[in-house]
């Protein structure tokens, strides 16, 4: 029996509000995170992901407050990421109501953080977020994809496929693969990148970046994604979660 593909709306939160832009630029307000999360829960989301994109010190308390209020309103798993640097940060988010926690920049700086979190709370709690972009010429990595930080603005020189595989080995329960080239463009997920990472990674793989049409989600699932994540197309009413699931069913893909 095939595993059901999860459909996950993503709330990019800054200053207590949901925001969305193209390639992380030109952010516009998309509403109240608690209200949106509740709506998605009612609309059939399998999970909700909440990314604190400002992730700055002054927003920390806002984040905890929004996480706890969101967790009270929804009955599906809540993943929270953004500015997570330590086991203590993970502990705080879980106590605030998160079911899973996403790590990104801090794990790049100190990969053993992945093992520490997995050992303390279990792999199922940890999502490794990989913000990857294509690189050519002198900066090219073996796979052709590079891990980036700061919303795709800074390259690390780390091969994205190798990093995803290493993260899984260190204990990450899932890989959230964000295509920084496709983010917000609505031109579709980077299917080639998805397939390349899928070949090397056994843990669940979440596709992110580029969804613009219903069929994009279906194609990502066909390329090997275990879950499909999107933001603006849901926030601004381009399509519903139900429409995404209906298209997958029509293509013989199991959904919840």
């Amino acid at each position: 029996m095939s595993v059901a593909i999860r459909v996950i709306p993503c709330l990019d939160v800054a200053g207590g509000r949901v925001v969305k832009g193209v390639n992380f630029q030109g952010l516009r307000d998309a509403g109240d995170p608690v209200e949106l999360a509740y709506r998605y829960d009612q609309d059939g989301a399998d999970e909700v992901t909440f990314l604190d994109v400002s992730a700055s010190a002054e927003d920390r308390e806002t984040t905890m407050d929004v996480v706890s209020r969101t967790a009270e309103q929804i009955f599906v798993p809540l993943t929270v990421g953004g500015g997570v640097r330590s086991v203590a940060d993970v502990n705080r988010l879980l106590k605030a109501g998160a079911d899973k926690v996403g790590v990104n920049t801090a794990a790049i700086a100190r990969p053993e953080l992945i093992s520490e979190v997995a050992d303390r709370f279990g792999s199922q709690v940890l999502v490794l977020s990989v913000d990857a972009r294509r690189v050519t010429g002198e900066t090219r990595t073996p796979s052709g994809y590079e891990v980036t930080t700061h919303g795709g603005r800074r390259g690390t020189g780390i091969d994205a496929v190798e990093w995803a595989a290493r993260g899984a080995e260190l204990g990450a329960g899932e890989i959230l693969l964000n295509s920084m080239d496709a983010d917000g463009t609505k031109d579709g997920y980077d299917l080639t990148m998805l397939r390349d990472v899928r070949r090397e990674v056994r843990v669940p793989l979440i596709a992110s970046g580029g969804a613009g049409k219903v069929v994009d989600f279906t194609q990502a699932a066909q390329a090997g994604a275990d879950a499909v994540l999107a933001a603006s197309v849901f926030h601004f009413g381009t399509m519903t979660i139900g429409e995404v699931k209906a298209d997958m069913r029509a293509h013989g893909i199991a959904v919840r």
Side-chain angles (χ1 to χ4, degrees):
M1 178 185 159
S2 58
V3 176
I5 302 296
R6 290 168 287 147
V7 179
I8 307 174
C10 180
L11 310 178
D12 294 322
V13 178
R17 300 289 291 178
V18 177
V19 296
K20 193 60 199 164
V22 177
N23 301 123
F24 284 78
Q25 306 292 315
L27 299 178
R28 58 178 172 150
D29 189 283
D32 176 73
V34 182
E35 289 174 13
L36 274 174
Y38 177 76
R39 190 180 91 202
Y40 292 138
D41 182 70
Q42 299 295 301
D43 287 350
D46 298 303
E47 294 180 15
V48 171
T49 290
F50 179 115
L51 296 178
D52 178 0
V53 294
S54 49
S56 52
E58 68 267 22
D59 260 340
R60 251 322 123 232
E61 291 311 310
T62 311
T63 302
M64 292 299 170
D65 174 58
V66 177
V67 168
S68 59
R69 288 191 294 123
T70 301
E72 286 166 8
Q73 290 291 329
I74 65 174
F75 297 95
V76 294
L78 174 64
T79 300
V80 182
V84 176
R85 297 180 183 90
S86 65
V87 167
D89 289 341
V90 174
N91 193 43
R92 272 195 294 277
L93 285 166
L94 295 176
K95 284 185 171 169
D99 298 284
K100 304 179 194 178
V101 174
V103 298
N104 184 344
T105 309
I108 295 167
R110 207 172 64 81
E112 52 269 32
L113 174 65
I114 298 171
S115 304
E116 291 166 5
V117 173
D119 290 346
R120 170 85 183 269
F121 305 106
S123 288
Q124 79 286 347
V125 158
L126 186 62
V127 180
L128 177 64
S129 187
V130 179
D131 292 345
R133 69 179 176 197
R134 291 168 181 267
V135 280
T136 56
E138 289 180 10
T139 58
R140 185 182 157 82
T141 60
S143 70
Y145 311 108
E146 175 188 37
V147 177
T148 68
T149 61
H150 300 80
R153 291 187 293 279
R154 287 192 200 171
T156 62
I158 297 169
D159 186 282
V161 176
E162 290 175 7
W163 174 236
R166 186 178 176 206
E169 285 170 11
L170 287 168
E174 296 183 78
I175 303 295
L176 170 56
L177 182 64
N178 302 304
S179 168
M180 305 317 291
D181 301 314
D183 177 73
T185 62
K186 300 191 173 65
D187 292 333
Y189 294 100
D190 189 329
L191 302 178
T192 307
M193 183 194 289
L194 265 174
R195 291 189 193 101
D196 289 346
V197 174
R198 175 79 290 166
R199 275 195 293 272
E200 301 300 325
V201 171
R202 300 277 76 84
V203 300
L205 183 59
I206 306 165
S208 171
K213 304 180 297 298
V214 167
V215 71
D216 293 338
F217 295 87
T218 298
Q219 289 174 345
Q222 291 167 335
D226 299 281
V228 284
L229 179 144
S232 52
V233 291
F234 295 140
H235 302 339
F236 300 118
T238 310
M239 67 193 69
T240 66
I241 292 163
E243 287 166 348
V244 168
K245 290 189 174 186
D247 191 71
M248 287 195 199
R249 280 193 201 97
H251 286 83
I253 296 166
V255 291
R256 297 182 184 187

